[in-house]
Amino acid sequence: KKVAVFLVGQTVTTFGSMLVQYAILWHLTLTTKSGVVLALAAIFGFLPQAIVSIFAGVWADRVNRKVMIMISDASIALATLVLALLMLSGVDDLWLIFLVMAVRSVGAGFQTPAISALLPQIVPTEKLMRVNGINSSVQSSLLLLAPVAAAGVYANFSIVGILFIDVVTAVIGLSLLATVSVPTLARALSSDKPSYFTDLKDGIHYIFTHDLVRWVMVIFGIVFLMVVAPSNLSPLMLVRTFGTEVWMLTVLEVSFGVGMMAGGALMAVVGPKLNRIWTIIGTSIGFGALAVVMGFTTNLILFFSLFFLIGLTVPAFSTSAMTLLQETVEPERQGRVFGFVGIVMSVSMPLGMAILGPLADIVSVESLLIITGTATVVIALVAISLPSGRRAMAAAHASTGPAA
């Protein structure tokens, strides 16, 4: 019951946040038609989260994580409410929208490591993979529902209506979370705990010296960097190769969303029986192989099918990696570790797009898919053949037991 209430609350809150993300993007696109404005929106929307994540991870190990999540959610809701009231009165300056986007990004940076570290406190270790799979499937379903809902509300009530909806969903999520009892770590209650910067230094040292944690972080960063090509450049390949009809782009995104939703559900069923390390490696190789095939395909149905399979593979990779970290890292350090995960995820994708995006105007997307896909396969194979990879596998075996 505790886990169900927590996940329902987070789902409601996430749904509202997704509505705002789509609404702000559409609003800026329609009102400015400026690529510079959209680039600034990406910076204000992602960079603050990347910057605060590692510091937020330290706080997640020093305070009650439930309280930390609630304060972050409340701050985001308050900033959104202020923006809604100002826009309702006719004030819609770009700097104000960017400021609220930055506040929301900072809030997300604080709550994300706290959420990841809180789950192992209320979920038994043997159920983590199943719960993470269910959560992944639910979050993926929002990728299908949120754009449709946002379009309907935006068309009838403009961006202000969506901002108010986000405030309401935040209140619902906070109310549900308030009913969930989450103990404060004994370390956080201790009067003689290390200083903040000592904790920060200890967390960084732990991440870079722990064989398994370091290995997972490196794989995370590389895969998120390489997966930019099939995930973000596929629409560009679609319109260049197959046509510019809107229904094609819609089917492409729906294929990916349905794949992710099915992948999360599949991991909830079979994930607990899978070896975490080999699932991470297998899905990394799968990403690469699918990207290579996409680069060679000239059939539209096959193209959609491959994008569905990529979506299917994403939850298998992410839930295996996150669960492995939750099972391996002691509770007192999980906030700092997941704060670093947040940085890796926030930086890798934009960095990959900054490199591959301009290249897509020089060489074909097909070539980029083949090159990055091949590189992903090679890197995954190297990752388990190097001494560091073998040490990571040994550490995973030791931490999760012979059954893994």
Side-chain angles (χ1 to χ4, degrees), residues 28 56 132 179 219 252 298 300 319 331 336 339:
L28 294 176
N132 283 331
T179 66
I219 294 295
L252 186 70
T298 56
L300 182 60
T319 56
R336 282 165 284 179

Side-chain angles (χ1 to χ4, degrees), residues 18-290:
M18 283 187 174
L19 293 183
V20 172
Q21 288 172 2
Y22 284 111
I24 289 180
L25 179 62
W26 296 340
H27 177 76
L28 294 176
T29 301
L30 294 172
T31 57
T32 70
K33 298 181 178 66
S34 167
V36 174
V37 169
L38 295 182
L40 288 172
I43 292 172
F44 284 107
F46 289 100
L47 186 59
Q49 180 175 351
I51 293 174
V52 306
S53 286
I54 186 64
F55 303 102
V58 177
W59 282 114
D61 289 335
R62 296 175 65 87
V63 301
N64 186 293
R65 288 160 180 165
K66 168 187 166 181
V67 175
M68 184 171 172
I69 295 170
M70 293 185 70
I71 291 175
S72 300
D73 268 341
S75 301
I76 292 172
L78 180 60
T80 305
L81 178 61
V82 170
L83 178 61
L85 293 175
L86 288 173
M87 295 189 77
L88 196 62
S89 65
V91 180
D92 60 351
D93 296 344
L94 281 178
W95 70 265
L96 180 63
I97 296 176
F98 289 151
L99 176 62
V100 172
M101 290 182 70
V103 172
R104 292 177 62 90
S105 183
V106 169
F110 272 98
Q111 69 176 215
T112 300
I115 291 171
S116 298
L118 183 146
L119 266 177
Q121 286 187 261
I122 61 176
V123 179
T125 302
E126 68 274 10
K127 301 292 184 183
L128 274 172
M129 179 67 87
R130 194 179 305 277
V131 171
N132 283 331
I134 293 171
N135 190 34
S136 176
S137 183
V138 172
Q139 298 296 317
S140 299
S141 68
L142 296 182
L143 294 175
L144 299 175
L145 179 61
V148 177
V153 177
Y154 188 80
N156 291 282
F157 301 100
S158 79
I159 187 175
V160 177
I162 291 180
L163 295 176
F164 279 118
I165 289 176
D166 182 52
V167 175
V168 172
T169 57
V171 171
I172 294 173
L174 285 168
S175 301
L176 290 172
L177 181 56
T179 66
V180 178
S181 60
V182 180
T184 303
L185 296 175
R187 179 182 184 279
L189 294 172
S190 175
S191 58
D192 60 345
K193 60 176 176 284
S195 68
Y196 175 88
F197 288 103
T198 300
D199 269 351
L200 177 60
K201 181 180 177 182
D202 173 73
I204 295 174
H205 179 265
Y206 175 83
I207 291 167
F208 281 94
T209 57
H210 192 290
D211 288 329
L212 179 58
V213 174
R214 184 181 64 243
W215 184 87
V216 173
M217 291 292 184
V218 171
I219 294 295
F220 238 114
I222 291 173
V223 169
F224 271 86
L225 189 67
M226 294 296 182
V227 83
V228 163
S231 62
N232 288 20
L233 297 182
S234 293
L236 187 58
M237 176 180 167
L238 178 71
V239 298
R240 287 179 179 177
T241 305
F242 298 105
T244 58
E245 288 87 348
V246 174
W247 71 265
M248 291 185 182
L249 291 169
T250 304
V251 171
L252 186 70
E253 295 303 327
V254 169
S255 299
F256 185 77
V258 172
M260 284 191 63
M261 187 167 59
L266 188 63
M267 287 302 293
V269 176
V270 304
K273 303 174 183 177
L274 299 177
N275 179 289
R276 314 287 191 257
I277 289 284
W278 285 113
T279 303
I280 293 171
I281 291 298
T283 50
S284 300
I285 293 173
F287 281 134
L290 289 168

